[in-house]
Amino acid sequence: MKNNNLNLAERVLAPTPKWFKILRTVGIALASIGGVIIASPVALPVGLVSAAGYLVLGGSIISVVSQTAVKSEEEPKINP
């Protein structure tokens, strides 16, 4: 399998499978929601701001990991 020899830059620029594109979008949305809550000009409870920090962290990790997924170049084996 050719995908095992990719460095990080090649892996990020390679085509991403559909499921991981969806997951990446969800991660970006979570991080954005968390960022909006943290940057809110209104005084919010400490628990909510803390949860927003975890949303930013989790969404960022989901997005980065999803971006490094690579489509397989192998043809699926079909048994007759």
Side-chain angles (χ1 to χ4, degrees), residues 27-78:
I28 292 170
L30 287 175
S32 299
I33 291 168
V36 166
I37 292 171
I38 290 172
S40 174
V42 180
L44 296 172
V46 175
L48 184 61
V49 175
S50 177
Y54 288 116
L55 277 176
V56 171
L57 177 66
S60 301
I61 291 171
I62 290 171
S63 299
V64 170
V65 171
S66 296
Q67 183 59 43
T68 59
V70 178
K71 280 186 182 179
S72 176
E73 294 179 1
E74 294 180 354
E75 294 287 326
K77 295 181 182 177
I78 300 173

